[in-house]
Amino acid sequence: MAPERPRNDGKMDIAPVSAISENPGTARVTSVGATDLLRLAGLAEQLSDRPVGDEARGLAARVAEGRFYVACIGQFKRGKSTLINALIGEPALPVGFIPVTAAPTVLRYGASRHAGVQFRDGSYREIPVAELAQYVTEEHNPENQKGVAGAEVFVPSPLLSTGMCLVDTPGLGSVWSGNTSVTQAFVPHIDAALVVLGADPPLAGEELALVEDIGRHVQNMILVLNKADRTTGEERAAAVGFSRNLLEKRLHRPVGPMFEVSASERLAKRGPDRDWSKLLAALDRLVRASGRQLVQAACERGVQRLGERLLALVREERETLERPLEESERRIANMRETIAGAERSIRELSFLWLAEQRHISDLFVDRHRAFLASALPLGEAEFDRALPAIPRGLGPAYRRAVMREAQAIAQRQVLPWLEAEQEVGEAEYRRMAGRFVQMANNLLTQLAAEGVRELARMPHALDPETGFRIRSEFLFRDLISLAQPASPLRWLADLALGLVGARRVIENDGREFLRRLLEVNCSRVQNDILNRVQESRSRLEVEIRKLLHEVSRVATEALTHAREARAAGIEAVQAAVARLDHLERQILEVTGNATS
């Protein structure tokens, strides 16, 4: 059992250099991997790169203790927090708040229950677990005004005693869009994923995109269909089949079983077991069969990623020292002029974007009309075929059954069409974005020709194949409250219709409801695509500007350091270059260890 480790400087996941894991089978990872990361942290301090140093020490702590992250991901309100609470056997995480803030919460083993909050300014505060909601919920910390970077909760749970840490991530698709970006930013730190899905809708576009992203570097995924107590067996079977087929198609590999559970029932210790025992067994297998490999992989990814960042900084500093100050000053002046010209070009290209957006809008209006012209007759024919099989109960019950059938038919028509529309929208966006990407990459080529080594770690930041910058926010609108208003008069009228056998009125209402569902939801598909195009365009502009100004910032800081060394004399410059050469050799030695 890995004991809880003290922190040496009041920050999350920071452990003393002497921390040694007591987990069986992780000794080699501890002695090599943690040491490499701590060496990188020390090198980052020498280069005044605090973010790299902090991340390296945090990763070294969990590697030394044999801890690996199993991130709980999914759409907003899937019941992720409740599921984690049920797994550890106590309500450690706040639930029922709308929504959580943009701060992942790590649950890890501890001899006693307590919590801590890491703030963006680097400070750390220990808090009682009962106060966690004050920092990680939208109700008490709207739009993360308190600047929470993350939180951790220590609990004496047997499930976590072997090194596994459960991570509660902000839900996708919540009212605060920052939640999605924070969850996506956490992807590089994920070692395994607990994907929490539902039956309505079974798999949102945003969820699919995130799972596909995680699947590129994480092989271990456990799929959970939560809230099984709120759906019928037929609904769950349909959701499981749909989700598994779609995930296997996107990931190009089998995804394994999907466990149907009710976290709320397990937490309350009531209801049937369903697949709960199977889920616990899958987590146990993950720890026993893959725990060591997950820790090792996390270590190797971290060493390479952080080492590349430090190498780029070393090379820029050294080249600035070796060239004449006047040349560096000219380069930076030229760089700033080029960036200013790029800003003008971005503004000019905005007019081209607007014209392209109008073209896409017209395209999707036509596709919308074509879909309705095809889907309405098909949907009505399917509806008519289904009517004879609907039980002929009392009028109100018959209305509910008819409207549910209309709803199911509309979903079967709209959701596959949504996937096709997203592919078309993605292709159109890529075509549009190619102009911006080409312009930015031309600028990067120009800067690289001037010897700006910082670009060595940014060549793929503006990949022309990159698609939408934001995920779909489409959610099928069931409109059931409109179809079945809580009206005593409607209920009495339906009852009377049922008694006299005149169900045709209800059936006609069902057809009208089906038409409305198709019209409303296909319009929402169109709006979702167009919003993604517009927002992605804005995000791409931001990416370009951030990239260009980051290049300028690094070069300017290198020039400042070179001036300081030159002011101290030639010997100081030689000593600075020798120091950077030594640091580069050390970084290369560390990154070589990680891959050997």
Side-chain angles (χ1 to χ4, degrees):
M1 176 181 298
E4 173 188 341
R5 298 294 180 189
R7 289 178 296 273
N8 66 338
D9 63 354
K11 292 181 181 178
M12 288 179 62
D13 275 337
I14 304 300
V17 176
S18 60
I20 299 296
S21 169
E22 297 180 10
N23 290 347
T26 58
R28 189 181 70 82
V29 177
T30 297
S31 60
V32 177
T35 301
D36 286 343
L37 287 162
L38 290 172
R39 285 184 64 188
L40 282 182
L43 294 168
E45 286 182 357
Q46 295 181 56
L47 289 164
S48 301
D49 195 329
R50 180 177 174 181
V52 168
D54 287 348
E55 186 174 345
R57 281 191 296 271
L59 183 54
R62 73 179 180 98
V63 167
E65 296 177 10
R67 288 187 282 116
F68 59 93
Y69 285 157
V70 179
C72 197
I73 63 171
Q75 191 82 354
F76 169 59
K77 299 302 287 181
R78 291 294 201 201
K80 299 186 300 298
S81 300
T82 303
L83 178 63
I84 291 178
N85 286 339
L87 287 170
I88 64 173
E90 59 178 283
L93 295 174
V95 297
F97 296 87
I98 305 178
V100 296
T101 60
T105 302
V106 178
L107 278 83
R108 50 185 292 199
Y109 181 82
S112 61
R113 294 177 81 252
H114 62 283
V117 178
Q118 177 83 54
F119 295 92
R120 288 174 178 166
D121 63 4
S123 62
Y124 182 90
R125 183 182 306 164
E126 291 196 5
I127 61 170
V129 175
E131 295 182 9
L132 188 64
Q134 301 297 319
Y135 300 93
V136 299
T137 64
E138 181 68 11
E139 180 180 21
H140 299 291
N141 184 14
E143 296 194 11
N144 202 10
Q145 293 176 1
K146 296 178 182 179
V148 175
E152 58 184 353
V153 181
F154 295 85
V155 290
S157 168
L159 181 68
L160 307 179
S161 64
T162 52
M164 179 168 63
C165 299
L166 295 173
V167 185
D168 190 22
T169 61
L172 306 175
S174 63
V175 294
W176 186 35
S177 60
N179 287 352
T180 296
S181 61
V182 168
T183 297
Q184 291 166 341
F186 193 74
V187 167
H189 305 282
I190 293 174
D191 303 313
L194 193 62
V195 183
V196 184
L197 304 174
D200 186 21
L203 188 60
E206 206 166 28
E207 285 175 304
L208 179 60
L210 180 60
V211 172
E212 189 175 2
D213 189 18
I214 293 172
R216 294 190 182 101
H217 72 273
V218 169
Q219 290 296 314
N220 293 280
M221 288 188 183
I222 297 176
L223 306 181
V224 177
L225 186 73
N226 195 20
K227 302 185 179 181
D229 56 320
R230 303 186 186 182
T231 53
T232 66
E234 292 78 6
E235 290 171 332
R236 293 196 300 275
V240 168
F242 174 81
S243 300
R244 178 181 288 115
N245 290 338
L246 193 52
L247 287 171
E248 290 182 346
K249 176 182 175 183
R250 290 297 184 93
L251 296 177
H252 306 292
R253 66 174 190 259
V255 296
M258 184 177 295
F259 302 108
E260 300 177 19
V261 303
S262 170
S264 60
E265 286 184 343
R266 288 301 89 212
L267 191 59
K269 296 181 173 58
R270 59 178 174 80
D273 181 83
R274 305 183 195 275
D275 290 338
W276 189 257
S277 298
K278 296 178 182 178
L279 171 60
L280 294 178
L283 288 169
D284 183 65
R285 286 194 299 273
L286 177 65
V287 172
R288 295 179 183 277
S290 305
R292 177 179 174 180
Q293 290 82 0
L294 292 174
V295 174
Q296 180 69 38
C299 176
E300 292 174 357
R301 290 196 308 269
V303 168
Q304 292 301 318
R305 183 179 68 252
L306 300 175
E308 288 172 4
R309 288 171 60 179
L310 293 180
L311 284 173
L313 181 58
V314 164
R315 290 162 181 169
E316 176 64 22
E317 292 262 353
R318 183 177 54 213
E319 292 191 359
T320 305
L321 278 167
E322 292 174 340
R323 71 169 66 95
L325 289 179
E326 295 78 9
E327 181 181 343
S328 293
E329 289 168 350
R330 285 195 301 272
R331 289 177 66 253
I332 291 175
N334 291 337
M335 190 184 304
R336 288 172 176 165
E337 288 182 7
T338 305
I339 291 173
E343 290 281 359
R344 290 190 295 270
S345 298
I346 290 172
R347 289 193 293 271
E348 292 168 1
L349 280 175
S350 293
F351 294 105
L352 294 176
W353 271 95
L354 291 174
E356 291 285 358
Q357 283 180 217
R358 283 194 291 270
H359 165 74
I360 288 183
S361 178
D362 293 341
L363 171 67
F364 280 99
V365 166
D366 292 340
R367 293 179 65 86
H368 174 194
R369 291 172 179 165
F371 170 75
L372 277 180
S374 171
L376 281 173
L378 291 175
E380 289 177 349
E382 185 178 353
F383 181 78
D384 289 338
R385 289 193 300 271
L387 282 177
I390 297 176
R392 299 300 181 101
L394 293 176
Y398 186 62
R399 175 177 291 276
R400 286 194 298 272
V402 166
M403 297 307 174
R404 286 197 194 99
E405 185 62 36
Q407 198 176 67
I409 292 171
Q411 283 187 318
R412 287 196 292 270
Q413 292 278 348
V414 170
L415 294 183
W417 182 65
L418 166 65
E419 184 176 356
E421 290 299 276
Q422 287 177 333
E423 291 180 359
V424 173
E426 183 92 14
E428 288 295 313
Y429 171 74
R430 286 174 189 250
R431 182 182 59 79
M432 291 172 58
R435 299 192 183 192
F436 265 55
V437 170
Q438 186 60 49
M439 181 273 295
N441 284 339
N442 287 342
L443 177 59
L444 296 182
T445 301
Q446 179 181 344
L447 292 174
E450 296 175 4
V452 184
R453 288 294 190 123
E454 177 61 15
L455 292 174
R457 67 181 175 92
M458 299 181 181
H460 304 297
L462 294 174
D463 189 338
E465 294 302 316
T466 299
F468 280 133
R469 262 64 181 174
I470 65 168
R471 305 304 182 189
S472 172
E473 296 181 1
F474 178 82
L475 186 64
F476 187 88
R477 289 189 62 184
D478 55 31
L479 301 179
I480 199 66
S481 61
L482 299 179
Q484 301 177 63
S487 166
L489 292 178
R490 168 58 65 85
W491 188 88
L492 289 171
D494 285 348
L495 183 62
L497 289 170
L499 291 174
V500 300
R503 294 184 175 83
R504 189 172 298 276
V505 173
I506 295 175
E507 294 168 357
N508 288 337
D509 286 349
R511 291 187 187 88
E512 181 59 33
F513 181 50
L514 172 62
R515 284 193 290 270
R516 183 167 185 181
L517 282 170
L518 289 171
E519 290 171 355
V520 167
N521 284 290
C522 73
S523 295
R524 296 187 76 234
V525 169
Q526 174 189 346
N527 292 336
D528 178 69
I529 297 294
L530 295 177
N531 288 339
R532 291 177 73 192
V533 169
Q534 183 170 345
E535 182 63 22
S536 294
R537 161 206 163 183
S538 300
R539 294 282 181 90
L540 179 56
E541 290 183 12
V542 170
E543 289 173 27
I544 294 172
R545 290 188 172 98
K546 285 175 62 178
L547 178 58
L548 299 180
H549 286 283
E550 172 69 5
V551 171
S552 177
R553 181 192 67 78
V554 170
T556 301
E557 288 184 1
L559 178 58
T560 299
H561 297 157
R563 284 193 179 118
E564 293 171 352
R566 295 289 177 87
I570 186 63
E571 292 182 357
V573 173
Q574 292 172 345
V577 171
R579 169 178 169 271
L580 290 169
D581 289 343
H582 179 65
L583 289 172
E584 182 180 45
R585 287 193 295 272
Q586 288 184 285
I587 296 168
L588 289 171
E589 180 182 341
V590 172
T591 56
N593 284 344
T595 56
S596 62

